Amino acid sequence: MELALLWPKLFVLLLLALVLYRVATLRSDAAGREGLWPLAAILGILLARDLALALTGISVILPLSGLAVVVMYLVWLKTFTEWTTTDRVYMALNVLAVVAAVANRLLDTPVEVGAFHYGLWIEANVVYLAVSLGLVSPVTNENARVVLRTRFVLLSALALSHLVLLLYGYEAALVHQALLPVTYFAHGAVIIAYYRWFHEQERESVAYYAANLESMFDFMKNLGSAISRRIEMSEVLDIIVKAASRNLGADAGAILLVDEYEDVLRVRATQGIYPPIYPVPDIARVTTGSIKRHFAETPIPIGETILGETVRSAEPVLVSNAAEDPRISGNAADDVLFVSSLIAVPLIVSNRVLGVISTLKRAENQFFDERDFEHLRTFAEYASVTIDNIHTYLEVLEKREMETELDIAAEIQSKLLPGNAAPLSNGSLASVTVPAKGVSGDYHDVISLDGRRLAMVVADVAGKGIPAAMVMVMVRSILHLVVSPQREAAAVLGLVNRGITGSIDLDHYATMGYLIYDQDSREVTYANAAHHPLLVYRKKTSKLLQVDTEGLPIGIERDAKYAQKRFTVESGDMLVLYTDGMVEAMNEQGTQYGLQSLKEAVKRFPDAEPQQLVDNVMADLEAFVGNARRHDDQTMLAMKVQ
């Protein structure tokens, strides 16, 4: 076969490779690109087939390459669905087919016989792939939109290419110059479907976070109005459970709190008809009213039923399909107590479990998904803080010991700061925040992303007092909504910026430094939104480095882009994040402490643990400032690698 015949196909393959590369760059996370590598392998197989045939003339390459293409499309399909026993048997048979092909070649089996048998085998594989594609359903595979959009075109192209080879053979010029290049565009259709899918996911994510943010604002507004009337706790709980049920499209919801004197949960608020998740006497099943009364009046021992287990374990639970969970499968089979899907999230403040908030769906074939689960988890976090703060607020009112509204705001805000830092297997953490006016516009946090990675963030809102503190709460809310093990640091800053821009005044923008630390590889990824550079003390060389990236402050421009840098750390290295209040603190002569003084203070204690370093730096800062008034919030977050 002449190489000149291959140029049309090579041109199409090159074009498809460029398009595939462009699509791959749209997603920075490995999970998003997982389904693209089989497509790249297919393009490589097609290219290698033509070159190998042109150079060697070994005809068995043709059926084996066709088999490889079909197999790779099955591998591609399985990135959206689960592997089954049948799939594994199928793959084993294909391995045997390849071994047989090699044996045919080595034993000089007639080419016509081998080609005939392998042609039939490829047809069988195409049929198997067609059946597998046909079993994909939007109901059972929510993320398989690419498959649903392209399976007809894909199967048509595979069948057409096989038909072309049967009718015309592989040596005909028409095959190489027109017919096969046309079928290659089916692979392009799959790649373009990814492009559409990625953009749809981005739009859906933005809409989802915008809706969550709006619902959170509405909740805070309603709650603030209620608190201003000095209402009872029961009314606050009603507002919380109604907001949670409405925002998730749930049919019912409930809040149960731990009894102060007994080891049980008691129902404190419900929305809709929340059926008991346990056996109910016949006398309590007469009417919906009797079911509601029975649930409201029956305490649940901690550790029993799915609600009691949630409180005992302090872990949230998503039961997407109640019929598949033995703990509540009885409810899915009972018309009166029917439950289709359920979420239960513990209410936790400072490692203390207050109770549980739960929502459920009662309509058949209506299920909660992972986004609903994440939404309620975030909602529960602020509901927990709200409930705990209302307890504190009511106690203060009863004792008549409230000094100022600013003191209460500072107490509420302190609950938003991290308590016990995320666990570090090869390091330690310490932090400090000193507000200038009781409440702070500074924010720092340590968030566990998964078993090996954690995120560290320090932010500084322009301004001081309650307005800055409120913006800080908004930044924290959005950050906890968008943070994910699959998102890079720069992507998180971009989503926080999109969520906050337009919801605050421009004079209340925020700067933010955000890093992700991988404990296994000791890799640090840092992104910066106009914040101070990250300080990195290298123990081995006794040098202090500054790591910085470009980026506008949060809340200025909705479409702002952020960069990130990666580097590794070693044992003994120290990472330091800080805010303006540290370096811009002034003494009585009006001289600023400055970044250089901060760097020297860090270098003076190379062997200190993070808490010692924080204490020593703050002592050095206070000695410099003397009796001068503190004019800005001061925050410092340090991590040492062991």
CSV table of all heavy atoms in Angstrom, one decimal, residues 3 63 75 98 172 182 192 312 315 356 363 395 397 420 424 437 441 493 512 541 558 635 641:
chain,number,residue,atom,x,y,z
A,3,LEU,N,2.1,5.1,0.7
A,3,LEU,CA,1.9,6.0,1.7
A,3,LEU,C,1.1,7.2,1.3
A,3,LEU,O,0.4,7.9,2.0
A,3,LEU,CB,3.3,6.5,2.2
A,3,LEU,CG,4.0,5.5,3.1
A,3,LEU,CD1,5.4,6.1,3.4
A,3,LEU,CD2,3.3,5.3,4.4
A,63,PRO,N,-7.6,-6.7,11.0
A,63,PRO,CA,-8.6,-7.1,12.0
A,63,PRO,C,-8.3,-6.8,13.4
A,63,PRO,O,-9.2,-6.5,14.2
A,63,PRO,CB,-8.8,-8.6,11.7
A,63,PRO,CG,-7.5,-9.0,11.1
A,63,PRO,CD,-7.0,-7.8,10.3
A,75,VAL,N,-14.2,0.3,26.8
A,75,VAL,CA,-13.5,0.9,28.0
A,75,VAL,C,-13.9,2.3,28.2
A,75,VAL,O,-14.2,2.7,29.3
A,75,VAL,CB,-11.9,0.8,27.7
A,75,VAL,CG1,-11.2,1.6,28.8
A,75,VAL,CG2,-11.4,-0.6,27.7
A,98,VAL,N,-6.6,-12.2,20.4
A,98,VAL,CA,-5.3,-11.6,20.1
A,98,VAL,C,-4.2,-12.7,20.1
A,98,VAL,O,-3.3,-12.8,19.2
A,98,VAL,CB,-4.9,-10.5,21.0
A,98,VAL,CG1,-3.5,-10.0,20.8
A,98,VAL,CG2,-5.9,-9.3,20.9
A,172,ALA,N,-8.2,-0.3,-1.8
A,172,ALA,CA,-8.8,0.7,-2.8
A,172,ALA,C,-8.5,2.1,-2.4
A,172,ALA,O,-8.6,2.5,-1.3
A,172,ALA,CB,-10.3,0.4,-2.9
A,182,VAL,N,-14.3,9.8,6.2
A,182,VAL,CA,-15.7,10.2,6.5
A,182,VAL,C,-16.1,9.5,7.8
A,182,VAL,O,-16.7,10.2,8.7
A,182,VAL,CB,-16.7,10.0,5.4
A,182,VAL,CG1,-18.1,10.2,5.9
A,182,VAL,CG2,-16.4,10.9,4.2
A,192,ILE,N,-16.6,16.3,20.3
A,192,ILE,CA,-17.4,17.5,20.4
A,192,ILE,C,-18.5,17.4,21.4
A,192,ILE,O,-18.9,18.3,22.1
A,192,ILE,CB,-18.1,17.8,19.0
A,192,ILE,CG1,-17.0,18.1,18.0
A,192,ILE,CG2,-19.0,19.0,19.1
A,192,ILE,CD1,-16.1,19.3,18.3
A,312,ARG,N,-24.9,9.5,66.6
A,312,ARG,CA,-23.8,8.8,67.3
A,312,ARG,C,-22.5,8.8,66.5
A,312,ARG,O,-21.4,9.0,67.0
A,312,ARG,CB,-24.2,7.3,67.5
A,312,ARG,CG,-23.1,6.5,68.3
A,312,ARG,CD,-23.6,5.1,68.5
A,312,ARG,NE,-23.8,4.4,67.2
A,312,ARG,CZ,-24.3,3.1,67.1
A,312,ARG,NH1,-24.6,2.5,68.2
A,312,ARG,NH2,-24.4,2.6,65.9
A,315,GLU,N,-21.7,11.5,61.4
A,315,GLU,CA,-21.4,11.5,59.9
A,315,GLU,C,-22.7,11.6,59.2
A,315,GLU,O,-23.7,11.0,59.5
A,315,GLU,CB,-20.7,10.2,59.5
A,315,GLU,CG,-19.3,10.0,60.1
A,315,GLU,CD,-18.3,10.9,59.5
A,315,GLU,OE1,-18.6,11.4,58.3
A,315,GLU,OE2,-17.3,11.2,60.1
A,356,VAL,N,-29.8,16.4,64.7
A,356,VAL,CA,-29.7,16.1,63.3
A,356,VAL,C,-30.8,16.8,62.6
A,356,VAL,O,-31.9,17.0,63.1
A,356,VAL,CB,-29.9,14.5,63.2
A,356,VAL,CG1,-31.3,14.1,63.8
A,356,VAL,CG2,-29.8,14.1,61.7
A,363,ALA,N,-42.4,11.1,47.1
A,363,ALA,CA,-43.0,10.7,45.7
A,363,ALA,C,-42.2,9.6,45.1
A,363,ALA,O,-40.9,9.6,45.2
A,363,ALA,CB,-42.9,12.0,44.8
A,395,GLU,N,-29.7,32.8,76.4
A,395,GLU,CA,-29.1,32.8,77.8
A,395,GLU,C,-28.6,34.2,78.2
A,395,GLU,O,-28.8,34.6,79.3
A,395,GLU,CB,-27.9,31.8,77.8
A,395,GLU,CG,-28.3,30.4,77.7
A,395,GLU,CD,-27.1,29.4,77.6
A,395,GLU,OE1,-26.0,30.0,77.7
A,395,GLU,OE2,-27.4,28.2,77.5
A,397,LEU,N,-29.9,37.0,77.1
A,397,LEU,CA,-31.0,37.8,77.4
A,397,LEU,C,-31.6,37.5,78.7
A,397,LEU,O,-32.0,38.4,79.5
A,397,LEU,CB,-32.1,37.6,76.3
A,397,LEU,CG,-31.9,38.2,74.9
A,397,LEU,CD1,-33.0,37.8,74.0
A,397,LEU,CD2,-31.7,39.7,75.0
A,420,ASN,N,-10.7,22.2,65.9
A,420,ASN,CA,-9.5,21.3,65.7
A,420,ASN,C,-9.2,21.3,64.3
A,420,ASN,O,-10.0,21.0,63.4
A,420,ASN,CB,-9.9,19.9,66.3
A,420,ASN,CG,-10.1,19.9,67.8
A,420,ASN,OD1,-9.6,20.8,68.5
A,420,ASN,ND2,-10.8,18.9,68.2
A,424,LEU,N,-3.1,16.0,60.3
A,424,LEU,CA,-1.9,16.0,59.4
A,424,LEU,C,-1.1,14.8,59.8
A,424,LEU,O,-0.7,14.6,61.0
A,424,LEU,CB,-1.1,17.3,59.6
A,424,LEU,CG,-1.4,18.4,58.6
A,424,LEU,CD1,-0.6,19.6,59.0
A,424,LEU,CD2,-1.1,18.1,57.2
A,437,LYS,N,-11.8,45.2,66.2
A,437,LYS,CA,-13.0,45.8,66.8
A,437,LYS,C,-14.0,44.8,67.2
A,437,LYS,O,-15.2,44.8,66.9
A,437,LYS,CB,-13.7,46.7,65.8
A,437,LYS,CG,-12.9,48.0,65.5
A,437,LYS,CD,-13.8,48.9,64.6
A,437,LYS,CE,-13.1,50.2,64.3
A,437,LYS,NZ,-13.9,51.2,63.5
A,441,GLY,N,-12.8,41.0,60.0
A,441,GLY,CA,-13.0,40.9,58.6
A,441,GLY,C,-12.0,39.9,58.0
A,441,GLY,O,-12.0,39.6,56.9
A,493,LEU,N,-10.8,29.6,43.6
A,493,LEU,CA,-10.8,31.1,43.7
A,493,LEU,C,-11.8,31.7,42.7
A,493,LEU,O,-12.5,32.6,43.0
A,493,LEU,CB,-9.4,31.7,43.5
A,493,LEU,CG,-8.4,31.5,44.7
A,493,LEU,CD1,-7.1,32.3,44.4
A,493,LEU,CD2,-9.0,31.9,46.0
A,512,MET,N,-7.5,37.0,49.1
A,512,MET,CA,-7.5,35.6,49.6
A,512,MET,C,-6.3,34.8,49.0
A,512,MET,O,-5.9,34.9,47.9
A,512,MET,CB,-8.8,34.9,49.1
A,512,MET,CG,-8.9,33.4,49.6
A,512,MET,SD,-10.4,32.6,49.0
A,512,MET,CE,-11.6,33.4,49.9
A,541,THR,N,18.1,24.9,53.6
A,541,THR,CA,19.0,26.0,53.1
A,541,THR,C,18.9,27.2,54.0
A,541,THR,O,19.6,28.2,53.8
A,541,THR,CB,18.6,26.4,51.7
A,541,THR,OG1,17.2,26.8,51.7
A,541,THR,CG2,18.8,25.2,50.7
A,558,ARG,N,-16.3,39.8,37.8
A,558,ARG,CA,-16.9,38.5,37.9
A,558,ARG,C,-16.1,37.4,37.1
A,558,ARG,O,-16.0,36.3,37.5
A,558,ARG,CB,-18.3,38.5,37.3
A,558,ARG,CG,-19.1,37.2,37.3
A,558,ARG,CD,-20.5,37.4,36.8
A,558,ARG,NE,-21.2,36.1,36.6
A,558,ARG,CZ,-21.8,35.5,37.7
A,558,ARG,NH1,-21.7,36.0,38.9
A,558,ARG,NH2,-22.4,34.3,37.5
A,635,THR,N,-4.2,38.2,61.5
A,635,THR,CA,-4.4,36.7,61.4
A,635,THR,C,-3.1,36.1,60.8
A,635,THR,O,-2.4,36.7,59.9
A,635,THR,CB,-5.5,36.4,60.4
A,635,THR,OG1,-6.7,36.9,61.0
A,635,THR,CG2,-5.6,34.9,60.2
A,641,VAL,N,6.1,21.0,58.1
A,641,VAL,CA,6.2,19.6,57.6
A,641,VAL,C,7.1,18.8,58.5
A,641,VAL,O,8.3,19.3,58.8
A,641,VAL,CB,6.7,19.7,56.1
A,641,VAL,CG1,6.8,18.3,55.6
A,641,VAL,CG2,5.8,20.5,55.3
